[in-house]
Amino acid sequence: MVPGDHAEESIMAMADGGHGGGKEGARVMDGGEESERGHGDGGFTVKDMLWHGGSVWDAWFSCASNQVAQVLLTLPYSFSQLGMASGLVLQVFYGLMGSWTAYLISVLYVEYRARKEREGVSFKNHVIQWFEVLDGLLGPYWKAAGLAFNCTFLLFGSVIQLIACASNIYYINDRLDKRTWTYIFGACCATTVFIPSFHNYRIWSFLGLGMTTYTAWYLTIAAAVHGQVPGAKHSGPNSLMLYFTGATNILYTFGGHAVTVEIMHAMWKPRKFKYIYLVATLYVFTLTLPSASTMYWAFGDALLTHSNAFSLLPKSGWRDAAVILMLIHQFITFGFACTPLYFVWEKAIGMHHTGSVLRRALARLPLVLPIWFLAIIFPFFGPINSAVGALLVSFTVYVIPAVAHMLTYRSAHARLNAAEKPPAFLPSWSGMFVVNAFVVAWVLVVGFGLGGWASVSNFVKQIDTFGLFAKCYQCPPRAHLPAAGSPLSAPARH
C-alpha cells in the first residue's frame, strides 16, 4: 500500500477474539494496526507522522479539538442568559449526555461493520458514514432521516465557523466590516477541499486543541486580571426565552459528534473509540468551565449584548494572539464539519472512489458556495448556535442515536449476537434502554421543544433588529468624523 492510498482506506483485519459477544459478533475490525502503520513498505517518513493519523490519540485530539471551537467564545454569553449555577450544572449534564450518545454511535458503527464484514463486504476506499450505519441496521427511512439531519447540521456548522471567523478578525482589524471578512474567509476555508479524509487531520487536530487551550486560559486569566466591571450585575436568568436559548447553546456545545463515525473509520482499531469522547469531554471541561464562569463573573449582564467574549476584553497582544489562533482553529473546524459533506456529495456524483485529489477537490467546490451564502445572510454570532442546537443537534446526536440503539437491540437474538455488550458501568440491556429513553424524552421536551421555541424566538429577534445580510452584526458604532475643512480634520503632527 502506498502512502497516498492510505488516506482513503480503513483496512481492518478481522480478529478471531471478541468482547464477550456471540461467535459471529466477535469477528470485527481489530487486527490491522501494525500493517496500517507500516503502509506496506516498512518505511517511515515525516509525512506519515504529520499526515497519516489513525491512533487512539489521533481520535482523541480530533474529538477534543472539534468539540469546543468557536463555541468557547459564546459560552460566557450563555452564562449571562442562564446564571452561574445553571451554566455550570448544564455543562456537566450535557457533556455527560453527549458522551453517552457518542458511545451509542460507536457501538452501532461496530455492529454495522461486523455484520457487513461477515457478509464479505469490503470497505477499501470507502468511508462509512452515519446514514449508512442507520441504513444497514434499520432501513432506508432511517437512512433518509440520518442523512437529512446530519447534512443540514454539518452545513450550518460550517456556516457558523465562517461567521465566527469574521466576528473574531474584526477585533484585530475593523477597517473592513464583518460581511467583507466573511467573503475573504469563505475563500480561505474553501481550500479544505484538498484534505482527503480524517486520516489527514493528525497535525491539525493537535494544533487545534493547543489553540483552544490557549484561548480558554487567556479568557480566564484576562477576565480575572480585569476584575469585575463597576456595577456589574448578574441577574440571569431573567426570562424563560433567554434561559432556554442559553441551555440550547450548551446542548450544541457537547453535540459535536456528528462526525463520530468518520473519525472512528479513520482509526486503525475502531473498537478503541468507545470512551474516547468521554475523555475528550472531561478535558474540554477544563477549558469551558473556568473561562465561561470567570468571564461571567467579571462582566455579568454586559454579555447579554456581546455574544463574542473577545468584544469585552481590552485590546492587547495576548488578545490578538488568541484571535489569530482561533481563526486558524476555525479553519480546521470548518474542514471537520465539511469533510463528511464532501463524502456524501462525492458518493452522490460517483467521485468517492476517484484516486485523484485534484479531481475530488474540484468536485467538492460547489458545496462551499451555499455555506458562504448562508453565512452572509445570517451573521448572528451566538444566537445561530442555539437555533442549530435545538432544531438539528437535538435529533442528530441525541435522539436518533438513542432510538436507533433501542431498535437495533430490541430483539433477544440481536442482543445475544451483539458485537458489543453493555458497558461494565451499566451491564444491563434494560438499564441501557432506560437511559436511552430518558435522553430521548429530555431532549425532545427541553432541547427541541422549549429550546426550539426560545432559540427561534431569539433568532427572529436578531433578524428584526439587525436584518438579513447585516453588514456588521453587533459592531460598536463608529465615531462621526469631523466635517471636511474643520480644524479637527487636519492630519495630526508628530
Side-chain angles (χ1 to χ4, degrees), residues 75-95 236-237 243 246-251 253-254 285 288-290 292-293 296:
L75 284 175
Y77 166 67
S78 296
F79 268 51
S80 69
Q81 298 169 319
L82 290 164
M84 185 73 79
S86 289
L88 294 172
V89 169
L90 285 176
Q91 274 205 50
V92 175
F93 176 70
Y94 280 128
Y243 185 87
T248 311
N249 186 42
I250 296 180
L251 179 86
T253 302
F254 296 100
F285 284 156
T288 58
L289 293 172
S293 56
Y296 180 54

Side-chain angles (χ1 to χ4, degrees), residues 427-491:
S428 162
W429 288 104
S430 298
M432 294 191 74
F433 181 90
V434 170
V435 174
N436 288 339
F438 171 79
V439 169
V440 172
W442 178 276
V443 173
L444 283 178
V445 174
V446 179
F448 176 70
L450 296 172
W453 159 74
S455 58
V456 171
S457 298
N458 189 39
F459 195 78
V460 170
K461 181 181 177 182
Q462 305 305 310
I463 296 175
D464 291 341
T465 304
F466 297 95
L468 299 177
F469 299 97
K471 192 173 184 178
C472 210
Y473 176 69
Q474 287 190 342
C475 293
R478 289 181 176 275
H480 292 292
L481 295 176
S486 164
L488 295 176
S489 65

